[in-house]
Amino acid sequence: MGGYILLGLTAIYALLFLFFIIGIIRTHRYRGPKATPSVSVVVPMRNEEEFALRTLDALAQQDYVGEWEVICVDDRSTDSTRKILEDFAAAHPRFRVLSLDPNLPQIASPKKRALESAFKIARNEILLTIDADCIPRKGWITSMAGRFNDGICIVQGPKQNNGSRSLVHLFQKLETLGYTAMEAAGFSMGVPMIASATCLAYKRELFFQAGGFGDLVNLSSGDDDMLIHKMMKVPGTKVCYNLDKDAVIETEPVNSWKQLFNQRARWSSNGTSYENKFYILMLTLIYTYYIWMFISPWCVLLLDCPWQWCAFSILPKVVIDFVFLTIASWKLRCRRQMLAFIPTELIQIPMIVFCVPAGMVGAFRWK
């Protein structure tokens, strides 16, 4: 019986990544005419004095010919973030600062509150979000806004980690490549499964038509994929993935394994909160597969389990991941990141196994 269960879990993993592989292969760079809708870029910030000015400078250098503005949200910062924002906005007319009341109550997802507060005062048709520690390229707005034609309502763009050659940074670079490729695959297939607010754009009208964040504010994350799932329920919503090189956002990695664990636990915290029960079931089965891969070597060593049960679960995963990431690195033009494949595979399994329960019990913190 155990062998059949293992075979079933492995088959589910293989079929899921077959979907991703087909999706990433179908992802193409756009060659048509670019739209120029009005755009409001929203940047939520809390205690970002280290990165704020760098991000603001990059946004100020955008070459977009359409109407655009930048709304910087100071989310109750206790450092010099607010002063940095206000001084910058005073010298750059396109920039506005929204400072949230420091006495606002603590909620599960302060970032969603910051975003929605900015969305309510946004003047323009398209909402384009970016994180405070990210660097957009000069043509970022032009590239992202340009995809809003032919009825497109949501555009997801790619991201990549910068950083050093330390193992914790290399791990994040390759893992980010994998998540980015999954985003691309889902959007390209018309059924987005995951998304990233680091480089995400959607029509302002659609956001409010879908009810805004609504009950999602009670969840610790979900300002990206859960929101997209919610907006996809609105009839006629069309999505696309923007593979253009100017759409790529460079984001800062965390610098320690402890910080990485905290981040991944936060990302995992809402795994059972999706409305789609089939999606929850799929996540549960994939997580079960990871648990087995983690404990199977110990079962072989200590409990005299057949070695095939271990080898025939881990080996297929390694092969599937290698094929998927190789195609992704080619599509996303970052082939060097595959050099970290082996250590990433070794670290990823225990990372996921322990991060998921940590996220479920809230063993993480926001800034």
Side-chain angles (χ1 to χ4, degrees):
M1 177 63 71
Y4 288 111
I5 294 174
L6 172 59
L7 180 62
L9 292 174
T10 306
I12 290 169
Y13 189 85
L15 288 173
L16 176 62
F17 273 82
L18 177 61
F19 171 85
F20 288 143
I21 289 170
I22 294 172
I24 192 64
I25 290 174
R26 289 182 56 178
T27 306
H28 298 292
R29 287 172 176 79
Y30 180 65
R31 305 296 183 187
K34 291 189 175 181
T36 55
S38 59
V39 177
S40 292
V41 179
V42 177
V43 194
M45 296 191 181
R46 176 171 171 79
N47 295 339
E48 296 287 357
E49 61 182 5
E50 180 182 358
F51 302 111
L53 190 58
R54 187 188 63 174
T55 301
L56 296 175
D57 282 334
L59 288 170
Q61 295 173 24
Q62 295 295 301
D63 61 6
Y64 189 51
V65 297
E67 181 182 350
W68 62 284
E69 66 172 349
V70 178
I71 303 175
C72 303
V73 188
D74 170 38
D75 187 10
R76 302 160 299 130
S77 296
T78 56
D79 62 5
S80 62
T81 297
R82 179 172 179 174
K83 184 177 187 308
I84 293 171
L85 297 179
E86 291 176 342
D87 289 348
F88 195 90
H92 298 81
R94 291 187 188 275
F95 286 69
R96 290 193 284 161
V97 178
L98 172 62
S99 294
L100 300 186
D101 186 342
N103 296 316
L104 284 171
Q106 184 64 32
I107 59 175
S109 182
K111 182 181 178 182
K112 294 193 195 80
R113 179 172 59 191
L115 286 169
E116 190 153 357
S117 297
F119 293 169
K120 289 177 179 177
I121 67 169
R123 299 169 179 152
N124 296 326
E125 176 187 1
I126 303 300
L127 302 172
L128 178 54
T129 62
I130 185 174
D131 289 340
D133 59 349
C134 297
I135 300 297
R137 300 179 181 184
K138 186 177 181 180
W140 178 60
I141 298 178
T142 299
S143 177
M144 292 295 289
R147 294 304 308 271
F148 281 91
N149 48 26
D150 299 325
I152 294 296
C153 304
I154 305 172
V155 178
Q156 175 71 67
K159 62 185 180 297
Q160 63 185 29
N161 283 113
N162 49 31
S164 68
R165 295 183 179 179
S166 66
L167 183 56
V168 67
H169 284 180
L170 291 175
F171 174 85
Q172 290 172 81
K173 288 179 182 181
L174 188 56
E175 193 181 46
T176 297
L177 169 64
Y179 287 135
T180 301
M182 291 178 194
E183 290 171 0
F187 274 83
S188 297
M189 299 289 275
V191 284
M193 299 173 67
I194 61 176
S196 173
T198 300
C199 185
L200 184 61
Y202 35 85
K203 291 186 176 180
R204 183 177 184 272
E205 178 184 13
L206 175 63
F207 175 81
F208 288 107
Q209 187 178 355
F213 288 115
D215 291 341
L216 297 180
V217 296
N218 297 316
L219 302 174
S220 57
S221 61
D223 53 294
D224 33 41
D225 54 356
M226 285 186 168
L227 175 63
I228 298 304
H229 294 176
K230 189 176 181 182
M231 292 194 291
M232 288 297 293
K233 295 180 180 179
V234 177
T237 300
K238 291 178 62 177
V239 304
C240 77
Y241 195 83
N242 187 4
L243 206 58
D244 184 68
K245 61 181 178 62
D246 286 332
V248 177
I249 286 290
E250 295 182 17
T251 182
E252 284 292 322
V254 297
N255 295 315
S256 70
W257 294 107
K258 181 180 179 180
Q259 291 173 324
L260 181 64
F261 184 88
N262 180 77
Q263 184 186 67
R264 297 305 189 262
R266 176 167 55 83
W267 289 0
S268 304
S269 61
N270 296 327
T272 59
S273 301
Y274 291 93
E275 290 188 15
N276 189 321
K277 302 306 179 185
F278 176 78
Y279 191 61
I280 295 176
L281 175 61
M282 182 188 65
L283 292 176
T284 302
L285 291 174
I286 295 299
Y287 180 62
T288 303
Y289 182 52
Y290 269 82
I291 290 176
W292 169 250
M293 287 188 289
F294 178 72
I295 67 173
S296 62
W298 304 105
C299 291
V300 172
L301 289 174
L302 303 177
L303 301 178
D304 200 31
C305 286
W307 65 267
Q308 294 92 338
W309 287 18
C310 173
F312 292 160
S313 59
I314 295 177
L315 184 59
K317 176 194 183 300
V318 172
V319 173
I320 292 166
D321 288 358
F322 182 79
V323 172
F324 171 65
L325 289 171
T326 298
I327 296 172
S329 66
W330 166 62
K331 278 284 188 177
L332 296 168
R333 298 178 177 176
C334 45
R335 298 174 190 173
R336 290 185 179 180
Q337 293 181 12
M338 287 299 293
L339 296 174
F341 177 74
I342 296 301
T344 298
E345 285 289 296
L346 293 173
I347 297 168
Q348 187 199 36
I349 293 174
M351 180 69 72
I352 290 178
V353 167
F354 290 108
C355 281
V356 170
M360 298 288 288
V361 300
F364 60 89
R365 63 180 180 83
W366 283 90
K367 284 188 176 182

